[in-house]
Amino acid sequence: MRCAHVALCLIACLLVVGCEAPPLPTQSSFEMVQTADFLTQNAPPAGFDQGVRFAPIDRNLEALPHWHTLLIIRFEGFFAGTTEPVSGSLSAEIFSNQISGERRVVLRAEGDAFALADGRNVEGVRLGNAFYFVDQNGVCSLVTDEPNRRRVAELTAGDLIGGVRQARHTYARKTAREMALWQYGFLPSEVDLPLIEPTQGGTATIASGDLWLVPSLNAVADYTLTLRLESALVPIFQGSKQLSGTLTITYTLLESGVPYNIAIPFGC
């Protein structure tokens, strides 16, 4: 009886094991494997894969010892409610030796959007606690009690174009200017844009935008934005007149880690 009981138990165990056959492995297609490999190989580094915030756009540059950026703002269109064409561009080139407190900002404006017949350049330099300003005539002066002239040397890209409050990576990547870059996408509602002043009945619609980060520097490498304006105020372009047309913004981190020769401007 004992042997029969044991045999029955063994048969029962065998039947149970037989009923609980091991599951078959999930079949994967070649395309699935390729997709997984692509996502793995093109994912940004840890800390940059769950969304990023760069408002202002030049956020974190103060943590770098040296850097050089270029911002260009262009407008093509008309004075609102007229057929009178108007265009213009403003560029801001910024050099910084952060550790020594040295900074150089070169502003260039041209076009009838500024009511200028010819281009105009001004320059601001900060050397420690000393500030210098070079006006449109090339005359240099030591800034003492003129805050507007002092602000030229302290101007940042974020002051003019704001930034992006939230962006997520797209898995696109590239190498540019010897930097490894990853692309990020964002919604129009996530763009912070102090450059535009809303007016009653006026609109500013984002037509396209692009954002590339360099995670090794925790900084934005490239940022572009195209806007369609209808009866909008852009203070840097004859701020009291409403404009309709296309506004484009291009921001570039040209290089970092290179000390710059920032000296007292000629004539001071």
Side-chain angles (χ1 to χ4, degrees):
M1 290 289 296
R2 179 179 175 83
C3 291
H5 178 72
V6 172
L8 289 174
C9 289
L10 288 174
I11 293 171
C13 290
L14 289 172
L15 290 174
V16 170
V17 172
C19 292
E20 295 185 355
L24 295 173
T26 302
Q27 293 183 348
S28 60
S29 67
F30 179 68
E31 289 78 10
M32 291 175 61
V33 173
Q34 282 186 317
T35 300
D37 287 343
F38 173 84
L39 297 180
T40 300
Q41 293 173 10
N42 291 279
F48 294 87
D49 53 354
Q50 299 298 319
V52 296
R53 173 186 175 91
F54 281 90
I57 202 68
D58 45 8
R59 182 184 179 191
N60 299 331
L61 285 187
E62 68 276 3
L64 303 179
H66 315 282
W67 46 269
H68 175 199
T69 61
L70 176 63
L71 168 65
I72 301 175
I73 305 169
R74 291 190 176 94
F75 176 77
E76 292 280 347
F78 304 87
F79 288 114
T82 76
T83 57
E84 180 184 354
V86 60
S87 64
S89 68
L90 173 71
S91 69
E93 191 169 11
I94 304 174
F95 302 83
S96 176
N97 294 323
Q98 196 72 25
I99 297 176
S100 58
E102 299 173 344
R103 214 164 185 274
R104 178 174 179 245
V105 178
V106 181
L107 294 176
R108 298 181 176 90
E110 60 182 10
D112 47 14
F114 293 98
L116 295 176
D118 300 306
R120 179 174 296 179
N121 300 349
V122 298
E123 179 179 345
V125 172
R126 184 186 75 194
L127 299 174
N129 294 321
F131 290 81
Y132 303 88
F133 177 78
V134 181
D135 66 18
Q136 65 271 16
N137 298 315
V139 177
C140 179
S141 59
L142 176 65
V143 179
T144 55
D145 57 354
E146 297 181 66
N148 286 336
R149 292 190 170 191
R150 175 173 175 156
R151 288 192 189 103
V152 173
E154 297 179 318
L155 183 70
T156 70
D159 291 335
L160 292 173
I161 63 171
V164 178
R165 291 184 293 269
Q166 183 71 23
R168 292 190 173 275
H169 66 276
T170 67
Y171 291 101
R173 59 180 298 184
K174 66 180 180 180
T175 299
R177 305 183 294 281
E178 299 182 352
M179 298 183 294
L181 313 182
W182 274 260
Q183 185 186 48
Y184 286 71
F186 51 88
L187 297 174
S189 60
E190 297 295 349
V191 175
D192 176 25
L193 196 65
L195 183 65
I196 308 295
E197 285 190 5
T199 62
Q200 186 174 2
T203 61
T205 305
I206 295 177
S208 63
D210 202 15
L211 181 68
W212 292 84
L213 303 188
V214 50
S216 62
L217 301 178
N218 192 17
V220 172
D222 295 294
Y223 175 58
T224 61
L225 200 65
T226 300
L227 299 100
R228 309 296 186 198
L229 306 183
E230 290 293 339
S231 301
L233 288 177
V234 185
I236 64 169
F237 296 124
Q238 296 196 36
S240 62
K241 296 184 178 181
Q242 296 183 11
L243 301 174
S244 296
T246 301
L247 184 75
T248 58
I249 295 170
T250 304
Y251 168 83
T252 307
L253 174 61
L254 295 175
E255 56 188 351
S256 67
V258 178
Y260 304 102
N261 181 19
I262 303 176
I264 297 175
F266 177 77
C268 281

